[in-house]
């Protein structure tokens, strides 16, 4: 969790209506904040690198790259960062 005590969340879905709905629910909670959104797997990896969220809500079926492939990409980056510390 971040220093401010807020749970920082990234949501990934190719449907904007779903992303907006999740953002509304998350931001209504006093201890949570939607810090980033992504519509594709490639964008998800970029947003994760930039924002380092506490939680990522990932759609598994997306047109360009599946959520599973995006998770594998994110985890690969994270392992590289851990091993360099």
């Amino acid at each position: 969790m971040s220093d401010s005590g807020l749970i920082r969340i990234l949501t990934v879905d190719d449907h904007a209506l779903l992303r907006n709905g999740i953002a509304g629910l998350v931001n209504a909670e006093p201890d949570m904040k939607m810090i980033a959104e992504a519509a594709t797997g490639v964008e998800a990896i970029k947003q994760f690198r930039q924002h380092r969220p506490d939680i990522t809500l990932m759609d598994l079926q997306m047109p360009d790259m599946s959520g599973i492939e995006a998770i594998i990409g994110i985890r690969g980056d994270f392992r590289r960062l851990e091993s360099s510390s």
Side-chain angles (χ1 to χ4, degrees), residues 8-36:
R8 301 164 55 251
I9 300 173
L10 161 64
T11 187
V12 184
D13 198 291
D14 56 324
H15 296 96
L17 183 62
L18 187 58
R19 288 193 317 272
N20 291 337
I22 292 171
L25 291 171
V26 166
N27 289 329
E29 295 298 320
D31 60 344
M32 296 182 191
K33 181 177 182 181
M34 183 68 59
I35 58 162

Side-chain angles (χ1 to χ4, degrees), residues 18-59:
L18 187 58
R19 288 193 317 272
N20 291 337
I22 292 171
L25 291 171
V26 166
N27 289 329
E29 295 298 320
D31 60 344
M32 296 182 191
K33 181 177 182 181
M34 183 68 59
I35 58 162
E37 298 179 18
T40 68
V42 172
E43 195 178 325
I45 294 170
K46 179 181 174 187
Q47 293 291 1
F48 189 91
R49 286 176 182 159
Q50 181 178 352
H51 296 283
R52 296 300 204 105
D54 300 311
I55 296 172
T56 300
L57 302 174
M58 181 80 69
D59 181 5

